[in-house]
Amino acid sequence: MAMAAHELEALLREGFPDAEITVEDLAGDGDHYRAIIRSGAFAGKSRVAQHQMVYAALKGRMGGELHALALDTAPKA
């Protein structure tokens, strides 16, 4: 089961309404994405904490509908 890029982006925008988000389909299969997320919610958080926040925003879809997600997260400048 794959996830469309627009679905992934919608989940991320719901979780991080202030964010600048770019989603790339790395393999063209709807299973391997890269997400670049810049959000004020990440301010003062470690990289691990930022990634945990992203996984929480995905509401359990990581490892199911979404097989692989490379993350590039940082506080919004």
Side-chain angles (χ1 to χ4, degrees):
M1 216 174 6
M3 176 182 281
H6 72 274
E7 293 177 84
L8 173 57
E9 187 171 341
L11 286 169
L12 294 172
R13 290 202 181 281
E14 182 181 325
F16 305 97
D18 75 319
E20 297 168 7
I21 299 171
T22 303
V23 173
E24 301 172 44
D25 188 339
L26 298 176
D29 61 3
D31 265 346
H32 299 81
Y33 289 102
R34 176 176 186 229
I36 302 168
I37 308 166
R38 302 294 180 259
S39 173
F42 296 146
K45 304 273 195 281
S46 70
R47 184 77 40 142
V48 170
Q50 292 172 24
H51 291 196
Q52 289 172 334
M53 292 169 69
V54 171
Y55 295 138
L58 295 176
K59 301 177 182 176
R61 289 176 175 90
M62 191 68 217
E65 293 174 60
L66 185 58
H67 176 71
L69 179 62
L71 292 174
D72 179 350
T73 59
K76 198 171 186 179

